[in-house]
Amino acid sequence: GALPAPDTAALGRLLRTALGQGAPGAMARIDDHPTAWNDHAVVHKVTEGTADRRTGEAMSTADRFRIGSVTKTFTAVVLLQLAAEGKVRLDTSVNHYLPGLLPDDRITVRHVLSHRSGLYDYTNDMFAHTVSGFEAVRTKVFTYRDLVARSLKHARTHAPGAVYAYSNTNFVVAGMLVEKLTGHSVRTEYENRVIKPLKLTDTFYVHPDTRIPGRHAHGYLTPDEAKAGLVDATDQTVSWAQSAGALISSVRDLDTFLSALLGGRLLPPAQLAEMERWIPAGTAQAYGLGLRRRDLSCGVSVYGHTGAVQGFYTYAFASKDGRRSLSAVVNTSNNGAVHLTMLRTLESAFCGKKAK
Ligand SMILES: CC1(C)S[C@@H]2[C@H](NC(=O)CCCC[C@H](NC(=O)C[NH3+])C(=O)[O-])C(=O)N2[C@H]1C(=O)[O-]
């Protein structure tokens, strides 16, 4: 049934709370298609604070930013399109396509896309110390195999398929699968299969370039030591993440992307159904294939992904039919209070005044 109207006043209050908790700026954009998702959208925009602490420039929904693990949903869409084309089978071993890559033939493509491979997350070591870990890699260029090798230095966390255990390594392997199956870079595949068809003119995969193209927000990393100042983390290769987290986009493009995905414009029904085969992933949360489900206080479930990359937290979710999508970003990270506040924007956007 129809969703309650978004509570944009509450949304504004939440963004101002995030600023009070240490974020320089924050913004949210809602595309609302009250009757059918492909009719003219009603767009709600809320912005607070600054996109650039040096100039004081106000945050704008025209600003591009790094979307972190929302990239995983784009990568999953590419692989699921390849599955629809018969070029990959979800329940086949990764090693069938990438011989000798993984130490266990039982790990399948589906295990990788649903974080059930058991592959250790190499970023646990990389970012144990937030600022020094970031500074050590921010200009580095890694190969996919460098990153997988870092993971394989550790024992696997569990047997393949046993449980959900989030690991960036999975979507590095997913990127390797895309490149092996197509003979193209993931950049080419994102562009040809998602960015161009949906006209996402603010969305880029520029790895290993360190700059965010055009008009963009600066992102500020919160150090572990509370008293230390914010670190401008805007320029980095994001080579530590690549197909697991290196895309750049805008709140407008993410709204378009999620509405199209949930509205059935990116995948055939069979593959969208595969993407939405849920396994438990925390309280009121589930994970499918590169897609999160969050169950809100008003009984509405929303579908999308969150992202945490140095300097930016991103929240991109849509209703089941794609008629309403919310994309929000705050230009700080490593700040748990800000993260919890920003998660509440989903309640205001989809539960409206019924939000708890
Ligand atoms: C599961 C998550 C939250 S973490 C995962 C991925 N981001 C990373 O793995 C980077 C983690 C380090 C980020 C850094 N934190 C530290 O260095 C802490 N010592 C910061 O906050 O800037 C992403 O994005 N995902 C989020 C997701 O999927 O929502």
Side-chain angles (χ1 to χ4, degrees), residues 68-69 123 127-128 130 166 168 221 240 292 305-310 333-334:
S69 291
T123 63
F127 302 125
T130 302
Y166 191 99
N168 285 297
L221 182 56
W240 60 266
R292 290 187 186 283
H305 218 288
T306 41
V309 58
Q310 288 83 3
S333 64
N334 196 40

PDB file of all heavy atoms in Angstrom, residues 68-69 123 127-128 130 166 168 221 240 292 305-310 333-334, ligand 1:
ATOM      1  N   GLY A  68      31.341   4.409  -1.089  1.00  0.00           N
ATOM      2  CA  GLY A  68      31.756   3.223  -0.313  1.00  0.00           C
ATOM      3  C   GLY A  68      31.029   1.970  -0.784  1.00  0.00           C
ATOM      4  O   GLY A  68      30.862   1.737  -1.991  1.00  0.00           O
ATOM      5  N   SER A  69      30.529   1.206   0.165  1.00  0.00           N
ATOM      6  CA  SER A  69      29.978  -0.111  -0.168  1.00  0.00           C
ATOM      7  C   SER A  69      28.645  -0.107  -0.892  1.00  0.00           C
ATOM      8  O   SER A  69      28.154  -1.170  -1.275  1.00  0.00           O
ATOM      9  CB  SER A  69      29.845  -0.957   1.098  1.00  0.00           C
ATOM     10  OG  SER A  69      31.139  -1.272   1.541  1.00  0.00           O
ATOM     11  N   THR A 123      40.455  -5.668   5.426  1.00  0.00           N
ATOM     12  CA  THR A 123      40.437  -4.277   5.929  1.00  0.00           C
ATOM     13  C   THR A 123      40.473  -4.240   7.456  1.00  0.00           C
ATOM     14  O   THR A 123      40.776  -3.209   8.048  1.00  0.00           O
ATOM     15  CB  THR A 123      39.192  -3.499   5.441  1.00  0.00           C
ATOM     16  OG1 THR A 123      38.018  -4.123   5.974  1.00  0.00           O
ATOM     17  CG2 THR A 123      39.120  -3.454   3.931  1.00  0.00           C
ATOM     18  N   PHE A 127      42.773  -1.145   8.642  1.00  0.00           N
ATOM     19  CA  PHE A 127      42.227   0.047   9.297  1.00  0.00           C
ATOM     20  C   PHE A 127      42.026  -0.136  10.799  1.00  0.00           C
ATOM     21  O   PHE A 127      41.177   0.514  11.409  1.00  0.00           O
ATOM     22  CB  PHE A 127      40.918   0.463   8.620  1.00  0.00           C
ATOM     23  CG  PHE A 127      41.087   0.746   7.152  1.00  0.00           C
ATOM     24  CD1 PHE A 127      40.315   0.105   6.212  1.00  0.00           C
ATOM     25  CD2 PHE A 127      42.063   1.633   6.712  1.00  0.00           C
ATOM     26  CE1 PHE A 127      40.484   0.358   4.853  1.00  0.00           C
ATOM     27  CE2 PHE A 127      42.238   1.890   5.363  1.00  0.00           C
ATOM     28  CZ  PHE A 127      41.445   1.251   4.425  1.00  0.00           C
ATOM     29  N   ALA A 128      42.856  -1.025  11.397  1.00  0.00           N
ATOM     30  CA  ALA A 128      42.780  -1.202  12.865  1.00  0.00           C
ATOM     31  C   ALA A 128      43.048   0.148  13.546  1.00  0.00           C
ATOM     32  O   ALA A 128      42.393   0.508  14.525  1.00  0.00           O
ATOM     33  CB  ALA A 128      43.788  -2.249  13.310  1.00  0.00           C
ATOM     34  N   THR A 130      42.716   3.955  12.614  1.00  0.00           N
ATOM     35  CA  THR A 130      41.941   4.623  11.565  1.00  0.00           C
ATOM     36  C   THR A 130      42.765   5.575  10.705  1.00  0.00           C
ATOM     37  O   THR A 130      42.800   5.425   9.478  1.00  0.00           O
ATOM     38  CB  THR A 130      40.769   5.376  12.221  1.00  0.00           C
ATOM     39  OG1 THR A 130      39.975   4.424  12.946  1.00  0.00           O
ATOM     40  CG2 THR A 130      39.920   6.092  11.190  1.00  0.00           C
ATOM     41  N   TYR A 166      30.110 -10.339   6.977  1.00  0.00           N
ATOM     42  CA  TYR A 166      30.457  -9.293   6.009  1.00  0.00           C
ATOM     43  C   TYR A 166      31.965  -9.260   5.776  1.00  0.00           C
ATOM     44  O   TYR A 166      32.742  -9.246   6.720  1.00  0.00           O
ATOM     45  CB  TYR A 166      29.997  -7.947   6.550  1.00  0.00           C
ATOM     46  CG  TYR A 166      30.055  -6.845   5.532  1.00  0.00           C
ATOM     47  CD1 TYR A 166      28.912  -6.457   4.850  1.00  0.00           C
ATOM     48  CD2 TYR A 166      31.241  -6.183   5.239  1.00  0.00           C
ATOM     49  CE1 TYR A 166      28.948  -5.444   3.899  1.00  0.00           C
ATOM     50  CE2 TYR A 166      31.282  -5.165   4.305  1.00  0.00           C
ATOM     51  CZ  TYR A 166      30.139  -4.805   3.637  1.00  0.00           C
ATOM     52  OH  TYR A 166      30.175  -3.790   2.711  1.00  0.00           O
ATOM     53  N   ASN A 168      34.761  -7.413   2.828  1.00  0.00           N
ATOM     54  CA  ASN A 168      35.075  -6.724   1.575  1.00  0.00           C
ATOM     55  C   ASN A 168      35.715  -7.657   0.566  1.00  0.00           C
ATOM     56  O   ASN A 168      35.556  -7.462  -0.648  1.00  0.00           O
ATOM     57  CB  ASN A 168      36.012  -5.553   1.859  1.00  0.00           C
ATOM     58  CG  ASN A 168      35.296  -4.391   2.493  1.00  0.00           C
ATOM     59  OD1 ASN A 168      34.402  -3.797   1.887  1.00  0.00           O
ATOM     60  ND2 ASN A 168      35.645  -4.079   3.735  1.00  0.00           N
ATOM     61  N   LEU A 221      37.617  12.526   7.906  1.00  0.00           N
ATOM     62  CA  LEU A 221      37.758  11.329   8.737  1.00  0.00           C
ATOM     63  C   LEU A 221      37.878  11.730  10.199  1.00  0.00           C
ATOM     64  O   LEU A 221      38.683  12.605  10.545  1.00  0.00           O
ATOM     65  CB  LEU A 221      39.007  10.566   8.286  1.00  0.00           C
ATOM     66  CG  LEU A 221      39.373   9.255   8.960  1.00  0.00           C
ATOM     67  CD1 LEU A 221      38.242   8.249   8.893  1.00  0.00           C
ATOM     68  CD2 LEU A 221      40.656   8.697   8.335  1.00  0.00           C
ATOM     69  N   TRP A 240      42.115   0.181  -2.085  1.00  0.00           N
ATOM     70  CA  TRP A 240      41.916  -0.871  -1.067  1.00  0.00           C
ATOM     71  C   TRP A 240      40.524  -1.505  -1.199  1.00  0.00           C
ATOM     72  O   TRP A 240      40.259  -2.548  -0.610  1.00  0.00           O
ATOM     73  CB  TRP A 240      42.109  -0.314   0.341  1.00  0.00           C
ATOM     74  CG  TRP A 240      41.185   0.798   0.710  1.00  0.00           C
ATOM     75  CD1 TRP A 240      41.423   2.135   0.593  1.00  0.00           C
ATOM     76  CD2 TRP A 240      39.847   0.671   1.215  1.00  0.00           C
ATOM     77  NE1 TRP A 240      40.312   2.856   1.004  1.00  0.00           N
ATOM     78  CE2 TRP A 240      39.329   1.986   1.397  1.00  0.00           C
ATOM     79  CE3 TRP A 240      39.029  -0.413   1.551  1.00  0.00           C
ATOM     80  CZ2 TRP A 240      38.051   2.242   1.883  1.00  0.00           C
ATOM     81  CZ3 TRP A 240      37.752  -0.160   2.030  1.00  0.00           C
ATOM     82  CH2 TRP A 240      37.277   1.144   2.198  1.00  0.00           C
ATOM     83  N   ARG A 292      21.057  -4.928   0.966  1.00  0.00           N
ATOM     84  CA  ARG A 292      20.596  -5.025   2.347  1.00  0.00           C
ATOM     85  C   ARG A 292      19.083  -4.817   2.396  1.00  0.00           C
ATOM     86  O   ARG A 292      18.527  -4.067   1.592  1.00  0.00           O
ATOM     87  CB  ARG A 292      21.247  -3.928   3.209  1.00  0.00           C
ATOM     88  CG  ARG A 292      22.728  -4.093   3.474  1.00  0.00           C
ATOM     89  CD  ARG A 292      23.207  -3.054   4.480  1.00  0.00           C
ATOM     90  NE  ARG A 292      24.654  -3.058   4.673  1.00  0.00           N
ATOM     91  CZ  ARG A 292      25.322  -3.964   5.394  1.00  0.00           C
ATOM     92  NH1 ARG A 292      24.662  -4.967   5.961  1.00  0.00           N
ATOM     93  NH2 ARG A 292      26.641  -3.895   5.530  1.00  0.00           N
ATOM     94  N   HIS A 305      21.685  -0.197   0.289  1.00  0.00           N
ATOM     95  CA  HIS A 305      22.978  -0.481   0.903  1.00  0.00           C
ATOM     96  C   HIS A 305      23.467   0.750   1.664  1.00  0.00           C
ATOM     97  O   HIS A 305      23.035   1.870   1.391  1.00  0.00           O
ATOM     98  CB  HIS A 305      24.013  -0.880  -0.158  1.00  0.00           C
ATOM     99  CG  HIS A 305      24.954  -1.961   0.298  1.00  0.00           C
ATOM    100  ND1 HIS A 305      25.946  -1.741   1.235  1.00  0.00           N
ATOM    101  CD2 HIS A 305      25.024  -3.272  -0.019  1.00  0.00           C
ATOM    102  CE1 HIS A 305      26.605  -2.872   1.446  1.00  0.00           C
ATOM    103  NE2 HIS A 305      26.075  -3.825   0.712  1.00  0.00           N
ATOM    104  N   THR A 306      24.309   0.509   2.638  1.00  0.00           N
ATOM    105  CA  THR A 306      24.988   1.595   3.344  1.00  0.00           C
ATOM    106  C   THR A 306      26.439   1.602   2.879  1.00  0.00           C
ATOM    107  O   THR A 306      26.911   0.648   2.237  1.00  0.00           O
ATOM    108  CB  THR A 306      24.960   1.328   4.866  1.00  0.00           C
ATOM    109  OG1 THR A 306      25.204  -0.066   5.084  1.00  0.00           O
ATOM    110  CG2 THR A 306      23.606   1.683   5.462  1.00  0.00           C
ATOM    111  N   GLY A 307      27.124   2.691   3.170  1.00  0.00           N
ATOM    112  CA  GLY A 307      28.524   2.795   2.754  1.00  0.00           C
ATOM    113  C   GLY A 307      29.323   3.545   3.810  1.00  0.00           C
ATOM    114  O   GLY A 307      28.814   4.503   4.399  1.00  0.00           O
ATOM    115  N   ALA A 308      30.537   3.062   4.037  1.00  0.00           N
ATOM    116  CA  ALA A 308      31.439   3.759   4.962  1.00  0.00           C
ATOM    117  C   ALA A 308      32.821   3.770   4.323  1.00  0.00           C
ATOM    118  O   ALA A 308      33.472   2.728   4.229  1.00  0.00           O
ATOM    119  CB  ALA A 308      31.490   3.057   6.310  1.00  0.00           C
ATOM    120  N   VAL A 309      33.213   4.924   3.834  1.00  0.00           N
ATOM    121  CA  VAL A 309      34.552   5.096   3.258  1.00  0.00           C
ATOM    122  C   VAL A 309      35.111   6.336   3.937  1.00  0.00           C
ATOM    123  O   VAL A 309      34.341   7.201   4.399  1.00  0.00           O
ATOM    124  CB  VAL A 309      34.471   5.236   1.721  1.00  0.00           C
ATOM    125  CG1 VAL A 309      33.593   6.404   1.314  1.00  0.00           C
ATOM    126  CG2 VAL A 309      35.860   5.368   1.091  1.00  0.00           C
ATOM    127  N   GLN A 310      36.440   6.414   4.017  1.00  0.00           N
ATOM    128  CA  GLN A 310      37.009   7.508   4.812  1.00  0.00           C
ATOM    129  C   GLN A 310      36.413   8.855   4.375  1.00  0.00           C
ATOM    130  O   GLN A 310      36.532   9.258   3.234  1.00  0.00           O
ATOM    131  CB  GLN A 310      38.537   7.536   4.651  1.00  0.00           C
ATOM    132  CG  GLN A 310      39.235   6.398   5.361  1.00  0.00           C
ATOM    133  CD  GLN A 310      39.263   5.110   4.558  1.00  0.00           C
ATOM    134  OE1 GLN A 310      38.807   5.064   3.410  1.00  0.00           O
ATOM    135  NE2 GLN A 310      39.784   4.031   5.158  1.00  0.00           N
ATOM    136  N   SER A 333      33.182  10.179   8.836  1.00  0.00           N
ATOM    137  CA  SER A 333      33.079   8.726   9.069  1.00  0.00           C
ATOM    138  C   SER A 333      33.867   8.420  10.349  1.00  0.00           C
ATOM    139  O   SER A 333      34.433   9.324  10.959  1.00  0.00           O
ATOM    140  CB  SER A 333      33.666   7.963   7.875  1.00  0.00           C
ATOM    141  OG  SER A 333      35.060   8.254   7.767  1.00  0.00           O
ATOM    142  N   ASN A 334      33.844   7.124  10.722  1.00  0.00           N
ATOM    143  CA  ASN A 334      34.440   6.711  12.006  1.00  0.00           C
ATOM    144  C   ASN A 334      33.814   7.464  13.182  1.00  0.00           C
ATOM    145  O   ASN A 334      34.501   7.872  14.124  1.00  0.00           O
ATOM    146  CB  ASN A 334      35.969   6.916  12.020  1.00  0.00           C
ATOM    147  CG  ASN A 334      36.636   6.142  13.159  1.00  0.00           C
ATOM    148  OD1 ASN A 334      36.248   4.999  13.446  1.00  0.00           O
ATOM    149  ND2 ASN A 334      37.591   6.767  13.816  1.00  0.00           N
TER     150      ASN A 334
HETATM  151  C1  LIG B   1      29.853  -2.729   6.896  1.00  0.00           C
HETATM  152  C2  LIG B   1      30.426  -1.333   6.679  1.00  0.00           C
HETATM  153  C3  LIG B   1      30.050  -0.390   7.819  1.00  0.00           C
HETATM  154  S1  LIG B   1      32.204  -1.441   6.525  1.00  0.00           S
HETATM  155  C4  LIG B   1      32.172  -1.820   4.830  1.00  0.00           C
HETATM  156  C5  LIG B   1      32.938  -0.926   3.879  1.00  0.00           C
HETATM  157  N1  LIG B   1      33.893  -0.018   4.418  1.00  0.00           N
HETATM  158  C6  LIG B   1      35.069  -0.474   4.901  1.00  0.00           C
HETATM  159  O1  LIG B   1      35.339  -1.657   4.997  1.00  0.00           O
HETATM  160  C7  LIG B   1      36.008   0.597   5.405  1.00  0.00           C
HETATM  161  C8  LIG B   1      36.120   0.461   6.897  1.00  0.00           C
HETATM  162  C9  LIG B   1      37.028   1.523   7.440  1.00  0.00           C
HETATM  163  C10 LIG B   1      36.358   2.864   7.393  1.00  0.00           C
HETATM  164  C11 LIG B   1      36.893   3.784   8.486  1.00  0.00           C
HETATM  165  N2  LIG B   1      36.842   3.158   9.809  1.00  0.00           N
HETATM  166  C12 LIG B   1      37.957   2.788  10.467  1.00  0.00           C
HETATM  167  O2  LIG B   1      39.069   2.934  10.006  1.00  0.00           O
HETATM  168  C13 LIG B   1      37.760   2.176  11.824  1.00  0.00           C
HETATM  169  N3  LIG B   1      39.035   1.834  12.467  1.00  0.00           N
HETATM  170  C14 LIG B   1      36.001   5.012   8.512  1.00  0.00           C
HETATM  171  O3  LIG B   1      35.020   5.006   9.282  1.00  0.00           O
HETATM  172  O4  LIG B   1      36.263   5.923   7.719  1.00  0.00           O
HETATM  173  C15 LIG B   1      31.629  -0.304   3.563  1.00  0.00           C
HETATM  174  O5  LIG B   1      31.359   0.693   3.029  1.00  0.00           O
HETATM  175  N4  LIG B   1      30.922  -1.195   4.347  1.00  0.00           N
HETATM  176  C16 LIG B   1      30.007  -0.716   5.324  1.00  0.00           C
HETATM  177  C17 LIG B   1      28.569  -1.095   4.939  1.00  0.00           C
HETATM  178  O6  LIG B   1      28.410  -2.012   4.115  1.00  0.00           O
HETATM  179  O7  LIG B   1      27.686  -0.457   5.505  1.00  0.00           O
END
